[in-house]
Amino acid sequence: MEGNLNRKFDLHKKWVETIGKEGEMLKLDEVDLRSIDLSDILLEQAYLIECTFDDLRLENIDFHTSLLASSTFKNAYLDKCDFYKSDLRYTDFTNCVIKNSRFSKGDCWEAIFRNTYLLDCNLINVSFYLTDFSCARLENIDISVATFEETLLSGVTLKNIKGIEEAHIKSINIGTLEKPILLKSGEAKKWMLEKCEVSG
């Protein structure tokens, strides 16, 4: 399996470097990547559906414009990873620590960031439809022009958040999925501004 994967990684690298003229786009479905050293693997523009990255330490990994739908990163540590324009629908980041990473222009439809610590991250222009941030800690992040709709924020900690005024906050859920307490637009924005701690 590993030899076959390495060949696929090599073909994908060639595919990216030649802008699709040579090699082959990486398409993995339901593959457990926990035993693979991903530190020097090119993963941008790949299809990685329902893949497992749980418990991994991922640093400087470029996933930009990749399809990562339904993949799991539970209990992983991510630093300087790039999810720019990535499709993260239903992706599970429960209990992750995510630092210095870029999610801008990504789609986080029903993604799970439950109990996740996001620090110094770029969340500009991300779609957070039904995204679960319950009990998460968001610190020094920028949510300018991000869209929040029925986003679950119960028990969330917000600190030094940039761009709340510029975000498109349609509605947030400060209750639970089973017993939602929905706040809409102005009321939701007011709640976020009041909830946000600011330190100099």
Side-chain angles (χ1 to χ4, degrees), residues 81-156:
C81 289
D82 194 357
F83 294 95
Y84 178 68
K85 284 190 174 177
S86 289
D87 186 338
L88 297 164
R89 285 173 296 169
Y90 310 107
T91 304
D92 192 344
F93 292 95
T94 298
N95 295 325
C96 272
V97 173
I98 306 174
K99 296 180 175 178
N100 310 302
S101 296
R102 178 169 75 150
F103 289 83
S104 52
K105 296 191 176 178
D107 184 356
C108 288
W109 174 297
E110 284 195 57
I112 301 167
F113 291 90
R114 197 179 298 128
N115 208 33
T116 294
Y117 181 31
L118 283 141
L119 176 67
D120 297 323
C121 289
N122 174 345
L123 306 182
I124 294 171
N125 201 6
V126 177
S127 169
F128 293 118
Y129 178 71
L130 284 170
T131 307
D132 184 352
F133 284 106
S134 49
C135 300
R137 180 178 179 85
L138 279 55
E139 190 172 341
N140 297 344
I141 63 165
D142 194 339
I143 58 167
S144 305
V145 296
T147 303
F148 291 77
E149 190 170 359
E150 294 186 47
T151 312
L152 190 58
L153 295 177
S154 62
V156 76

Side-chain angles (χ1 to χ4, degrees), residues 138-142 158-162 196-200:
L138 279 55
E139 190 172 341
N140 297 344
I141 63 165
D142 194 339
L158 303 175
K159 190 170 181 182
N160 296 339
I161 307 297
K162 286 187 227 128
C196 186
E197 304 163 35
V198 179
S199 63

Side-chain angles (χ1 to χ4, degrees), residues 56-74:
L56 288 177
R57 187 179 182 91
L58 300 171
E59 297 183 58
N60 297 300
I61 305 288
D62 187 350
F63 290 103
H64 87 265
T65 59
S66 287
L67 174 62
L68 288 152
S70 301
S71 288
T72 63
F73 289 82
K74 290 183 277 195

